[in-house]
C-alpha cells in the first residue's frame, strides 16, 4: 500500500483558530487554545497517524509585524522558520475578515514558495452562508492556492475534506515518526503550557505581558508525579495580580492545571507553584532560551 507523509505548516494571524484546528485534527489537546491572541509561543508539532498516511503539523505562533521586543522577534522567526522543509502550508484565516496581518502571512508564504491550501475558518459564525461567497471570491484572487476550504474547527465542519486534501498533496514517503507519537514535546513542556493556559483564562485582560512558566522540578513517584513550577513575572506588582487576593487566583490556577495534567497524563499529579520576579526577562535572550522559546540572537 502506498504511504504518504510530510510536514504541514500552519500559518495565520493570531486568534484565527490554528491551535483549535491542530488539536481537532490530531485528536488530543496539544497546543494551548485561548481567546487571547499570541498565546502560542512555540512551534508545536502534532502528528496525525493513519494506516496509510502521516501528517506532521507545525503549529506556528502568530506572525508579528512590529518587531520591537525580542520576544516578538523570536515569535516571528519561529513562524517563518517553520516553512522550511514543509511539503505544504495551510494559511488559516477567519471567514469574512481579511486583515493586513493576513496579507503579511500570505507574503511570507509567497516568499517561501510552498504549495498552500487556504483554510477559511469559523464559517459557523456566518449566517446565512451565502454571505461567504463574495468573500471567497475575493480571497481566491490573491494567490494561486491548491484549494480553498471553508471549515469550522470548533464545530468540526469540513475537517475530513481538509484531511483528504492535505494527504493528497503530501509526498509518497514512509512514516517519519512512531505511530504512538502525538507530539515531540516532552511532559515538561506540556505541563508548562497547561499552566500558562490557565493563567490566561483566569486573568484575561489583567494578565501582564511577559509571564513565563518554568518547570523546575519533576519527581516521578510510583503513585504520583510531583511537579514544581515557577511562574516568572517582570514586576513586583504583577506578582500580586497572579497570586490574587488571599492567594485565590494562584490556587485556582494551580488546581485547574493539576486537573488538566491528570487528564493528559492519566495519573495523579501533585503540583506546587511559586511566583517569582525577574525584571525584564522577555528582553533577555538567555532567559528566553532557558524557557525553551528557542532561537537566540
Ligand atoms: P490561534 O491563535 O490561531 O491558535 O487561535 P485559537 O485556536 O487559540 O482560537 C482562538 C479563538 O477562536 C478561541 O476562542 C477558539 O475557541 C475560537 N475558534 C477557533 N475555531 C473556531 C471556529 O471554527 N468557530 C468559532 N466560532 N470560533 C473558533
Ligand atoms: Mg495558537
Amino acid at each position: 500500500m502506498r504511504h504518504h507523509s510530510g510536514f504541514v505548516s500552519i500559518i495565520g494571524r493570531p486568534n484565527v483558530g490554528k491551535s483549535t484546528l491542530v488539536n481537532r485534527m490530531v485528536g488530543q489537546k496539544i497546543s494551548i487554545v485561548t481567546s487571547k491572541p499570541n498565546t502560542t509561543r512555540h512551534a508545536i508539532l502534532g502528528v496525525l497517524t493513519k494506516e496509510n498516511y502521516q501528517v506532521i503539523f507545525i503549529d506556528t505562533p502568530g506572525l508579528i509585524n512590529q518587531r520591537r521586543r525580542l520576544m516578538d522577534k523570536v515569535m516571528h522567526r519561529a513562524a517563518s522558520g517553520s516553512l522550511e522543509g514543509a511539503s505544504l502550508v495551510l494559511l488559516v484565516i477567519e471567514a469574512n475578515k481579511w486583515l493586513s496581518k493576513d496579507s503579511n502571512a500570505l507574503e511570507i508564504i509567497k516568499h517561501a514558495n510552498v504549495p498552500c491550501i487556504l483554510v477559511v475558518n469559523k464559517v459557523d459564525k456566518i449566517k446565512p452562508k451565502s454571505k461567504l461567497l463574495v468573500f471567497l471570491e475575493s480571497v481566491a484572487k490573491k494567490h494561486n492556492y491548491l484549494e480553498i476550504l471553508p471549515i469550522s474547527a470548533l464545530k468540526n465542519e469540513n475537517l475530513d475534506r481538509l484531511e483528504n486534501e492535505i494527504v493528497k498533496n503530501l509526498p509518497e514517503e514512509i512514516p517519519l515518526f512512531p505511530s504512538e507519537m502525538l507530539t515531540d514535546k516532552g511532559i515538561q513542556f506540556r505541563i508548562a503550557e497547561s499552566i500558562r493556559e490557565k493563567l490566561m483564562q483566569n486573568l484575561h485582560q489583567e494578565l501582564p505581558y511577559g509571564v513565563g512558566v518554568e518547570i523546575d522540578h519533576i519527581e516521578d513517584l510510583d503513585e504520583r508525579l510531583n511537579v514544581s513550577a515557577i511562574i516568572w513575572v517582570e514586576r513586583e506588582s504583577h506578582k500580586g495580580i497572579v497570586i490574587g487576593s488571599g492567594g485565590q487566583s494562584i490556587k485556582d490556577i494551580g488546581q485547574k492545571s493539576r486537573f488538566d495534567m491528570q487528564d493528559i497524563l492519566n495519573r495523579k499529579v501533585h503540583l506546587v507553584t511559586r511566583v517569582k520576579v525577574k525584571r525584564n526577562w522577555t528582553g533577555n535572550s538567555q532567559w528566553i532560551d532557558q524557557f525553551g522559546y528557542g532561537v537566540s540572537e
Side-chain angles (χ1 to χ4, degrees):
M1 201 197 302
R2 289 180 175 191
H3 190 281
H4 293 256
S5 65
F7 289 89
V8 175
S9 175
I10 303 200
I11 299 275
R13 67 173 160 81
N15 228 21
V16 291
K18 300 177 296 297
S19 300
T20 308
L21 179 62
V22 173
N23 293 341
R24 278 264 185 263
M25 300 203 73
V26 176
Q28 196 182 331
K29 188 166 178 176
I30 289 174
S31 178
I32 64 169
V33 182
T34 69
S35 53
K36 228 176 140 84
N38 287 341
T39 53
T40 314
R41 282 187 187 143
H42 294 255
I44 297 164
L45 205 65
V47 185
L48 169 66
T49 303
K50 294 275 171 73
E51 199 182 346
N52 48 356
Y53 56 84
Q54 184 171 68
V55 186
I56 303 137
F57 289 106
I58 313 165
D59 182 26
T60 59
L63 300 168
I64 307 291
N65 242 357
Q66 308 99 319
R67 300 200 241 159
R68 264 167 292 148
R69 299 189 68 156
L70 177 63
M71 184 58 93
D72 289 345
K73 279 196 218 164
V74 170
M75 290 172 75
H76 185 90
R77 215 172 309 168
S80 39
S82 81
L83 283 178
E84 268 172 53
S87 307
L88 192 64
V89 49
L90 308 185
L91 172 58
V92 185
I93 64 170
E94 212 176 309
N96 291 16
K97 215 175 184 181
W98 181 276
L99 308 181
S100 65
K101 280 193 175 162
D102 297 310
S103 301
N104 297 339
L106 181 58
E107 281 313 305
I108 288 174
I109 290 165
K110 286 186 177 184
H111 190 74
N113 203 18
V114 181
C116 177
I117 294 175
L118 180 67
V119 177
V120 182
N121 192 29
K122 306 196 187 182
V123 293
D124 58 287
K125 285 169 93 175
I126 309 299
K127 290 191 180 99
K129 284 268 157 73
S130 57
K131 285 194 176 156
L132 196 59
L133 289 176
V134 181
F135 179 75
L136 292 179
E137 271 170 27
S138 78
V139 290
K141 290 185 193 129
K142 294 179 194 288
H143 184 61
N144 190 13
Y145 299 104
L146 288 175
E147 191 72 49
I148 298 176
L149 274 182
I151 67 153
S152 168
L154 197 68
K155 304 269 156 103
N156 242 321
E157 280 176 45
N158 233 2
L159 296 188
D160 43 353
R161 243 196 92 195
L162 177 58
E163 195 167 316
N164 287 340
E165 284 303 322
I166 291 170
V167 175
K168 221 172 77 186
N169 288 290
L170 288 184
E172 232 180 285
E173 181 70 73
I174 56 164
L176 302 168
F177 290 98
S179 63
E180 67 279 7
M181 199 180 103
L182 285 162
T183 168
D184 73 333
K185 302 290 179 186
I187 283 180
Q188 205 149 322
F189 170 79
R190 291 174 70 180
I191 290 174
E193 285 289 84
S194 166
I195 296 172
R196 212 151 60 83
E197 179 185 57
K198 302 302 173 288
L199 279 163
M200 308 256 173
Q201 287 170 351
N202 260 48
L203 301 174
H204 307 284
Q205 302 303 330
E206 277 178 281
L207 184 82
Y209 182 91
V211 170
V213 178
E214 179 189 11
I215 306 301
D216 66 330
H217 186 68
I218 291 189
E219 187 182 15
D220 194 346
L221 304 176
D222 276 345
E223 74 279 13
R224 64 161 195 262
L225 201 64
N226 280 347
V227 179
S228 158
I230 302 174
I231 298 168
W232 290 102
V233 293
E234 291 198 317
R235 294 209 188 100
E236 203 63 43
S237 60
H238 294 170
K239 197 170 155 179
I241 296 174
V242 174
I243 292 172
S245 83
Q248 195 51 47
S249 171
I250 188 71
K251 202 172 142 193
D252 195 39
I253 288 162
Q255 194 172 53
K256 284 182 184 156
S257 309
R258 188 168 60 81
F259 286 147
D260 205 23
M261 283 170 218
Q262 292 186 158
D263 233 30
I264 293 173
L265 305 171
N266 201 19
R267 60 184 298 193
K268 209 162 176 255
V269 173
H270 179 76
L271 173 69
V272 177
T273 47
R274 282 167 298 156
V275 186
K276 290 191 181 180
V277 181
K278 178 91 184 172
R279 268 170 229 294
N280 195 29
W281 74 264
T282 50
N284 181 326
S285 62
Q286 202 186 327
W287 268 75
I288 291 176
D289 278 349
Q290 196 174 321
F291 285 161
Y293 294 146
V295 197
S296 34
E297 280 297 274

